[in-house]
Amino acid sequence: MKCQETLAITEHRIINGDLNEHGTVYGGRLLELLDGTTSISAAHFAHQLTVTAAVDQFNFIAPLKLHDSFKITSYVSGAGKRSIEVFAKIIGNQDTFGKKILAATAFLTFVTPQLVAFPTLIPVSQEEQTVCNAYQQRHQLRQQQLLANKELTASIVLN
């Protein structure tokens, strides 16, 4: 399956309710919209129920402000036995008709309830190849982080 077959795109105009005290889009609002868009990419790939397991990486690059608009574009960038990694980019459009900016990038992991025979992922564009070629490295890092997180959560006291 080509990465483009897992493509999901959403667009949003920024209004006052999206802003934080700095006059830029509140990060939590971006994460909410990001989760919705990327879940569609995961569903296109898995053809079954998927659940958000983690926001592995979210990089704020440039702020988005009132009257800007932005587009979230996501596609599957790798898969394991039950996990699906989805890459997303948030492209801002300053003052709606102005200059385009890269506002953020992210990697999220979704999981399926049971093992699935996922299709082979085929990156075509230069961007897709760059993103997908680093999947194994990101996957290994995630595995290390999961082990460290298990140790941490085992030591947390519930009061």
Side-chain angles (χ1 to χ4, degrees):
M1 173 180 282
K2 293 180 182 175
C3 291
Q4 285 293 307
E5 294 176 70
T6 69
L7 188 69
I9 299 172
T10 57
E11 295 190 56
H12 184 76
R13 178 181 305 284
I14 298 166
I15 59 174
N16 283 322
D18 297 324
L19 303 178
N20 60 26
E21 65 274 16
H22 306 290
T24 59
V25 174
Y26 178 60
R29 180 72 171 126
L30 281 177
L31 288 171
E32 174 188 6
L33 295 167
L34 180 72
D35 188 41
T37 304
T38 55
S39 70
I40 295 168
S41 289
H44 286 327
F45 185 72
H47 296 290
Q48 68 167 283
L49 176 70
T50 63
V51 178
T52 309
V55 177
D56 301 308
Q57 189 179 99
F58 189 94
N59 301 303
F60 290 101
I61 298 168
L64 297 165
K65 300 177 182 176
L66 186 63
H67 303 300
D68 290 350
S69 62
F70 63 89
K71 175 170 55 174
I72 300 172
T73 303
S74 68
Y75 55 86
V76 172
S77 52
K81 294 177 183 168
R82 288 184 45 226
S83 65
I84 302 166
E85 180 191 74
V86 178
F87 170 74
K89 59 185 176 182
I90 299 176
I91 306 294
N93 206 355
Q94 294 178 328
D95 296 322
T96 304
F97 302 107
K99 176 182 162 189
K100 289 183 186 248
I101 58 168
L102 180 61
T105 60
F107 288 96
L108 285 80
T109 296
F110 293 83
V111 294
T112 58
Q114 63 268 37
L115 292 175
V116 180
F118 290 130
T120 300
L121 190 62
I122 304 166
V124 176
S125 73
Q126 182 62 49
E127 176 187 294
E128 292 167 354
Q129 291 173 17
T130 300
V131 170
C132 293
N133 286 344
Y135 168 74
Q136 285 302 328
Q137 181 181 10
R138 287 188 303 274
H139 180 71
Q140 289 173 351
L141 180 60
R142 262 194 308 278
Q143 294 305 309
Q144 294 169 352
Q145 291 170 331
L146 281 172
L147 289 174
N149 193 44
K150 283 183 182 182
E151 291 175 17
L152 172 66
T153 55
S155 67
I156 293 176
V157 176
L158 302 177
N159 294 359

